[in-house]
Amino acid sequence: MTESIDEELPEEESYFERIELFVDPGQRPLRIDKFITDKVANASRNKVQQRITDGEVKVNGLSVKSNYKTKAGDLISFVMERSRKDPDVIPEPIPLDIRYEDEHLLVVSKPAGMVVHPAHGNWTGTLVNGLAYYFKSLPELPGNSGRPGLVHRIDKDTSGLLVVAKSEKAMTHLARQFFDHSIQRSYLALVWGEMKEEEGTIDVPIGRGLKDRKVMQVYPDGDTGKSAVTHWKLIQRLRYVSLIECTLETGRTHQIRVHMKYLGHPLFNDSVYGGDKIRKGTQFSKYKTFVQNCFELLPRQALHAKSLGFIHPVSGKKMFFDSEIPADMESVIEKWKNYVQYEK
């Protein structure tokens, strides 16, 4: 059983969760059903309206009607079903980049742009749909239906390595390694700004945002969120950006992306956490054009799950896998290297 995080899949938990939303001072008035639908990933308009009709949606402790318009400072609370887990995965003949396979597990390289498993808004075309076609049947963790074989995952727009279990024994053993944080994982990231140190550790809790539950945020006071630890070291300084390697002790949702934003170095072209704008550099039009060209070459956050190490669940052998940087990210890194050299 694993922790409820992004790289490690959710532990068995209640089908419902209590949600609290704060209305930002700058938020324009909205019908409460639309406000909730916009903020909560698995909340359909009909589902929210039914909750309101049943008196289960409270604003500042009081029930309201669907036409209630939110006001700055409102505290909205309600209970909602957790995101749908669909056990009926549709097998699809999707090409898989398999780097290793035996009778117990396989290691696959996921391209950027591919969702790992079926979920709200992405029921087909995922890695799991491809795995279902390739294997016909795979084990599932308790409370993790619809995600056969998976013991961890990476974001849609992050590329890199994943290990997939082919047997119940392998799944339980691998899941335990993730839970114990004994899995070795390294990521390459291109971030905005020049790192002042050669290496460092970010030990700051992460949790869902109070204003928007679709994004994550840090909680430096430790009053909420879950423990999150990221180690980083500098690979190369490229004047206005830096190439770094990150290793994870934990695997919270968007952990590297959120932690680097917290340091003031958001990932290059990370649209969710502020990296899709020029954060460092000059105001010259030539520079702006250069950065825009880089954004077009790499239309995603510059993050790659490069290596993965674990103990084989049956043989006990230490396994380690490394992967090449994908072409889109490599091309942008090379452009920055050339740009810096030209400026000298």
Side-chain angles (χ1 to χ4, degrees):
M1 188 177 294
T2 56
E3 297 176 86
S4 180
I5 54 182
D6 192 8
E7 278 77 19
E8 290 103 291
L9 297 176
E11 60 187 335
E12 191 171 5
E13 55 193 351
S14 169
Y15 182 63
F16 296 91
E17 61 180 331
R18 178 166 295 280
I19 296 173
E20 289 189 343
L21 300 173
F22 291 90
V23 180
D24 187 85
Q27 172 71 53
R28 64 185 177 85
L30 281 178
R31 280 177 55 108
I32 190 167
D33 51 356
K34 185 175 190 324
F35 180 86
I36 293 174
T37 303
D38 288 346
K39 295 293 184 182
V40 181
N42 63 313
S44 69
R45 194 75 171 264
N46 288 340
K47 187 186 296 183
V48 171
Q49 289 175 342
Q50 186 60 54
R51 287 283 184 274
I52 295 172
T53 300
D54 293 341
E56 296 177 10
V57 176
K58 311 283 187 182
V59 176
N60 304 321
L62 300 175
S63 297
V64 295
K65 295 182 179 180
S66 293
N67 62 358
Y68 174 86
K69 290 197 173 181
T70 59
K71 299 188 294 292
D74 278 348
L75 172 59
I76 302 167
S77 59
F78 54 96
V79 172
M80 182 66 68
E81 296 94 342
R82 293 187 180 275
S83 297
R84 176 184 174 191
K85 311 285 194 303
D86 192 342
D88 299 322
V89 176
I90 302 170
E92 296 179 76
I94 298 171
L96 301 175
D97 184 2
I98 297 173
R99 301 302 177 90
Y100 172 84
E101 182 179 2
D102 61 26
E103 60 182 308
H104 307 289
L105 59 86
L106 67 83
V107 174
V108 62
S109 180
K110 185 191 81 68
M114 176 183 280
V115 176
V116 172
H117 61 78
H120 182 73
N122 292 284
W123 297 113
T124 60
T126 73
L127 176 65
V128 164
N129 293 111
L131 290 170
Y133 182 87
Y134 184 74
F135 289 110
K136 308 307 178 188
S137 64
L138 284 171
E140 295 178 350
L141 286 171
N144 191 33
S145 62
R147 296 167 177 174
L150 293 186
V151 289
H152 68 136
R153 55 181 173 175
I154 54 180
D155 296 337
K156 172 186 176 183
D157 289 327
T158 298
S159 55
L161 298 175
L162 289 161
V163 60
V164 178
K166 294 171 63 175
S167 68
E168 186 174 348
K169 180 178 181 179
M171 187 159 217
T172 301
H173 196 286
L174 289 167
R176 184 67 197 185
Q177 291 182 61
F178 276 101
F179 182 75
D180 292 337
H181 308 311
S182 60
I183 296 282
Q184 296 174 266
R185 289 169 291 170
S186 75
Y187 292 71
L188 279 183
L190 187 68
V191 301
W192 277 108
E194 186 172 0
M195 310 300 289
K196 295 180 180 178
E197 308 294 334
E198 294 295 317
E199 60 183 33
T201 295
I202 312 166
D203 185 356
V204 184
I206 290 174
R208 294 202 175 275
L210 296 177
K211 299 173 183 177
D212 187 347
R213 291 179 59 81
K214 295 179 183 179
V215 300
M216 309 301 289
Q217 67 181 59
V218 298
Y219 291 92
D221 296 333
D223 53 343
T224 188
K226 294 184 178 181
S227 172
V229 181
T230 303
H231 305 285
W232 65 268
K233 71 176 181 179
L234 180 68
I235 301 299
Q236 188 169 11
R237 300 181 195 275
L238 297 169
R239 188 163 301 183
Y240 303 126
V241 296
S242 299
L243 182 63
I244 63 172
E245 179 186 72
C246 296
T247 57
L248 302 180
E249 280 192 26
T250 56
R252 307 304 177 195
T253 301
H254 300 174
Q255 179 171 319
I256 293 173
R257 300 165 66 186
V258 176
H259 269 170
M260 296 316 298
K261 177 186 177 182
Y262 172 68
L263 281 192
H265 298 280
L267 267 63
F268 188 79
N269 210 13
D270 188 341
S271 61
V272 176
Y273 296 102
D276 60 341
K277 302 175 181 63
I278 294 178
R279 302 296 297 262
K280 299 290 180 180
T282 71
Q283 295 300 314
F284 297 127
S285 59
K286 183 178 179 180
Y287 176 74
K288 293 179 180 178
T289 299
F290 167 77
V291 173
Q292 187 58 46
N293 288 338
C294 288
F295 285 160
E296 291 174 3
L297 280 173
L298 184 73
R300 63 180 181 99
Q301 69 263 8
L303 185 62
H304 174 64
K306 190 173 189 300
S307 70
L308 180 64
F310 54 88
I311 302 299
H312 194 282
V314 176
S315 70
K317 179 183 177 181
K318 290 184 178 180
M319 311 287 287
F320 183 81
F321 302 91
D322 194 52
S323 63
E324 67 283 357
I325 304 174
D328 59 352
M329 192 167 164
E330 178 69 27
S331 65
V332 167
I333 293 171
E334 289 302 315
K335 281 183 72 69
W336 276 105
K337 289 179 180 179
N338 292 335
Y339 185 86
V340 170
Q341 185 177 21
Y342 176 77
E343 271 208 335
K344 286 181 178 180

